Amino acid sequence: MLKKSTGNMYEFVTHTWNPIVGRCYHNCSYCYVSKYGNEVSNIQRLNSECLDDDFGDGKFIFVCSGVDLFAEDVKDGWIRMVLDKCNQDNHSLFGSKNKFLFQSKNPKRILDYIDHPVFKDAVVCTTIETNRYYPDIMCNTPTMEDRARAMNEIANRGVETYLTIEPIMQFDKDELVRLIRLCKPVQVNIGANTNGRVSLPEPSTDDILSLIRDIEDECKVEIKSNMKRIL
C-alpha cells in the first residue's frame, strides 16, 4: 500500500509503495530489510491489492523500496504491471501528478523497459557503495562497473539519474569518482550503515570530505542524517 515515508528514508521522498514483497534476490548483508528476519517471507509475490491504490498528486514515490523491482528473479509481467500502474495513475488533464523513484542495483535490466512512458516522470537511481567489491557483503549484486555503465546508458537516453552511496564503505577515491561521473547523476546521496547487526569497513571522515569536494561542483550532494556519527 502507499505509505508516507518514515525513518531513514530519503528526505526528498514523500511516500513509498511496495507492490512486490518478500526476500530480495540480491541478499546484501547490510540491507535494512534483513533485520526483520523471519517477518519477511522467503517467497516473493505480487501484492495485487496495491494495484488499486490511488496515488493522488504532489508526491515523490519510491517504488519498491523493500525489494529491487529489477532484480533478475522478478517476473517480467510483474514489472510491467507496476510500471503501467504508475503511468496510468499519473496523468490528468493538467499533466503529470507525481514523480517516481526507481532504484535498482541491477540497472542494466531497466534498459529493457526504458521506452516505457513512466520514465518521463521518473528518476532512476542505483547504489554504488564503494568502488571495491566485497562478495560476502554484496552477495548477488552486479559489479559496480556494470551498474555504472548501465546508468550511463540510461542517462544518455534522457532519463534523470541519481546515485546513492549507502552504506558508504572504504574506497579508492579516484576510481570511485570515475564511477560516479560515469553514472552522470543529477544528485548523489551519501549515507551510512544503519544495520547494527552488521559491521562494515567504513572510510574515514577525511576521505569522505575529500570525495565530496571532488564531486560537489558536478552534481548536488545530499548528506543523509545517518552520516552524523561519521562526519
Side-chain angles (χ1 to χ4, degrees):
M1 297 297 178
L2 186 70
K3 295 181 178 179
K4 280 193 174 183
S5 178
T6 59
N8 190 46
M9 191 56 65
Y10 299 123
E11 291 185 4
F12 56 86
V13 165
T14 64
H15 292 73
T16 60
W17 185 59
N18 284 285
I20 296 174
V21 295
R23 291 285 181 183
C24 178
Y25 169 81
H26 293 146
N27 197 33
C28 301
S29 66
Y30 59 77
C31 181
Y32 80 94
V33 176
S34 67
K35 67 184 179 183
Y36 297 109
N38 293 332
E39 296 178 23
V40 179
S41 172
N42 283 314
I43 301 174
Q44 193 179 95
R45 65 182 179 85
L46 175 71
N47 185 355
S48 57
E49 292 181 2
C50 288
L51 299 178
D52 295 326
D53 284 353
D54 183 352
F55 294 155
D57 55 42
K59 299 178 179 66
F60 198 147
I61 303 171
F62 189 166
V63 179
C64 290
S65 63
V67 175
D68 193 324
L69 177 63
F70 298 95
E72 290 296 336
D73 64 339
V74 178
K75 297 178 180 178
D76 286 321
W78 292 358
I79 295 174
R80 293 193 181 280
M81 279 191 279
V82 169
L83 299 182
D84 287 347
K85 164 63 180 176
C86 292
N87 186 61
Q88 291 165 5
D89 194 81
N90 205 42
H91 293 92
S92 69
L93 293 175
F94 305 101
S96 301
K97 301 186 294 180
N98 299 293
K99 194 168 187 177
F100 300 100
L101 175 68
F102 295 103
Q103 180 167 314
S104 177
K105 291 180 183 174
N106 188 31
K108 183 177 180 180
R109 195 175 183 196
I110 294 178
L111 288 166
D112 294 338
Y113 305 90
I114 202 64
D115 291 326
H116 195 288
V118 74
F119 287 105
K120 295 177 182 178
D121 302 317
V123 171
V124 170
C125 182
T126 196
T127 302
I128 294 181
E129 312 93 317
T130 170
N131 65 286
R132 303 176 186 179
Y133 194 65
Y134 298 98
D136 293 340
I137 296 173
M138 299 168 180
C139 298
N140 300 324
T141 58
T143 66
M144 276 64 71
E145 185 73 27
D146 286 344
R147 300 179 213 177
R149 290 190 178 279
M151 290 297 287
N152 181 268
E153 190 169 346
I154 290 168
N156 288 340
R157 296 289 293 271
V159 177
E160 187 175 7
T161 58
Y162 284 10
L163 175 65
T164 292
I165 305 174
E166 183 184 20
I168 192 167
M169 289 186 269
Q170 291 175 4
F171 57 83
D172 305 293
K173 189 181 71 169
D174 289 348
E175 180 60 17
L176 182 55
V177 168
R178 182 188 70 82
L179 292 171
I180 293 170
R181 288 173 174 160
L182 192 58
C183 293
K184 297 184 177 181
V186 173
Q187 178 171 309
V188 173
N189 314 295
I190 303 179
N193 180 32
T194 56
N195 188 337
R197 298 166 57 187
V198 177
S199 178
L200 300 178
E202 292 186 331
S204 69
T205 298
D206 287 344
D207 285 344
I208 296 171
L209 292 176
S210 179
L211 174 67
I212 293 171
R213 285 193 294 270
D214 275 19
I215 64 174
E216 62 185 352
D217 289 337
E218 303 174 35
C219 56
K220 182 179 180 182
V221 178
E222 286 286 326
I223 307 299
K224 296 187 66 174
S225 60
N226 60 23
M227 288 291 288
K228 290 179 181 178
R229 66 176 179 79
I230 301 179
L231 296 178

